[in-house]
Amino acid sequence: MHSNPNSQHLVPMPGSSISETLPEPVTPPKPAWREMLTNIGVAIVTLLKFAPAFLKTGGTMLLSVWVYAQFYGWMFAVGFILLILVHEFGHLIAARQCGLRVGAPVFIPFMGAAIALKEAPRNAWIEAIVGIGGPILGTVGALVCLAVGLINHSGFWTALAYTGFFLNLFNLAPVLPLDGGRIVTAISPRLWIIGTVIMVPFLIYSFNFIILVIVLMGLPRTWRHLRGATDEDTRYYECSSQQRFIMGTAYFGLIAGLALGMWWTHSLLGSRGY
């Protein structure tokens, strides 16, 4: 019997087996309808996962826009809320950089917005970083508005920039629960006393319910610190001289920059007759 020299035999090579030389079975492709249903299912699960956060942030944003629009018009209301959103994203980014879990921003008409920390900062340095993240990014947002206003000679954008500078400067007041109160925990918590004293004249000469709420919210922690720090408090507020210098420079430098921005935009609005 003669063999065909052109035929191929499945002869295993040394160290191999017959199964390794056989072609792999071809898996039949999934039907298109099954793949489409899988993609739809993944999309639905993703939407359900993020729906609560979207509704919480988006719903409160729309409510705040509607409320502010009754006083300042729709365009300014939208711009104002977006400036607040940028500010809150600054807190969110800083918190996540510090390894903290945070919730989505929630907007409260006439009170601004807030993000909920799902875990407390480990020390005053981290609390200060999270606190200053909002004003830093918020200042960038105000500068963008100012740049647009200067390029287009727009009073609307210049006024929006002025509002952004004021919003972030007000938040730097060294009183809890404002951002400034969080920041000075890494400088000196005694600055809370100065912040509270600063707020008192506003309450006496021009009563403001929002300022009253702010002062009342900050009093318990300020009073606790005045009574005397516990060992746990001492460990929490312990910061190095370098950290205090860095945060102090950033804090007071930001205050000076925002005050300058307010003065400049106010001058532009007056000189150009917007």
Side-chain angles (χ1 to χ4, degrees):
M1 182 176 180
H2 300 283
S3 62
N4 187 350
N6 295 325
S7 65
Q8 297 181 355
H9 297 278
L10 298 176
V11 180
M13 299 295 292
S16 65
S17 62
I18 294 288
S19 60
E20 291 176 341
T21 60
L22 293 174
E24 295 182 0
V26 178
T27 303
K30 293 182 180 180
W33 64 268
R34 183 177 297 178
E35 184 176 355
M36 182 179 66
L37 288 178
T38 301
N39 294 334
I40 293 175
V42 171
I44 292 175
V45 171
T46 303
L47 287 174
L48 291 175
K49 179 180 178 181
F50 293 101
F54 175 77
L55 292 175
K56 183 168 63 173
T57 300
T60 54
M61 275 185 68
L62 291 175
L63 175 62
S64 295
V65 168
W66 180 83
V67 171
Y68 288 121
Q70 309 309 307
F71 299 90
Y72 310 111
W74 286 103
M75 287 185 63
F76 192 85
V78 170
F80 181 60
I81 292 301
L82 289 178
L83 282 173
I84 296 177
L85 181 63
V86 170
H87 177 103
E88 292 304 318
F89 268 121
H91 290 308
L92 190 147
I93 292 170
R96 289 187 174 175
Q97 287 295 317
C98 293
L100 299 177
R101 295 183 298 111
V102 295
V106 177
F107 289 79
I108 307 169
F110 301 112
M111 293 292 290
I115 60 169
L117 291 177
K118 296 183 179 180
E119 53 185 316
R122 295 182 293 278
N123 51 55
W125 174 248
I126 292 178
E127 183 177 359
I129 291 175
V130 175
I132 204 169
I136 287 177
L137 197 59
T139 301
V140 173
L143 287 172
V144 170
C145 292
L146 177 58
V148 175
L150 291 173
I151 293 172
N152 296 291
H153 304 285
S154 169
F156 170 80
W157 285 99
T158 305
L160 203 57
Y162 175 86
T163 305
F165 290 134
F166 171 78
L167 170 71
N168 289 280
L169 183 60
F170 176 78
N171 267 281
L172 288 177
V175 58
L176 294 167
L178 296 179
D179 297 336
R182 307 287 185 187
I183 296 167
V184 299
T185 55
I187 304 171
S188 173
R190 293 185 180 276
L191 290 171
W192 293 338
I193 303 172
I194 298 176
T196 303
V197 171
I198 291 174
M199 292 294 180
V200 171
F202 290 98
L203 292 175
I204 295 175
Y205 296 105
S206 179
F207 179 79
N208 188 299
F209 178 75
I210 296 176
I211 294 179
L212 177 62
V213 171
I214 291 171
V215 172
L216 292 177
M217 289 178 67
L219 279 179
R221 192 173 175 186
T222 304
W223 176 248
R224 177 184 172 185
H225 186 75
L226 287 174
R227 288 177 56 189
T230 63
D231 293 339
E232 184 180 355
D233 291 336
T234 301
R235 289 192 299 270
Y236 183 84
Y237 295 116
E238 187 176 358
C239 293
S240 67
S241 299
Q242 182 181 12
Q243 288 175 330
R244 295 186 192 279
F245 175 77
I246 292 173
M247 194 57 64
T249 302
Y251 176 62
F252 291 108
L254 198 55
I255 288 176
L258 287 167
L260 179 62
M262 280 188 65
W263 172 81
W264 189 18
T265 49
H266 186 271
S267 301
L268 289 173
L269 292 169
S271 62
R272 298 188 179 184
Y274 290 142

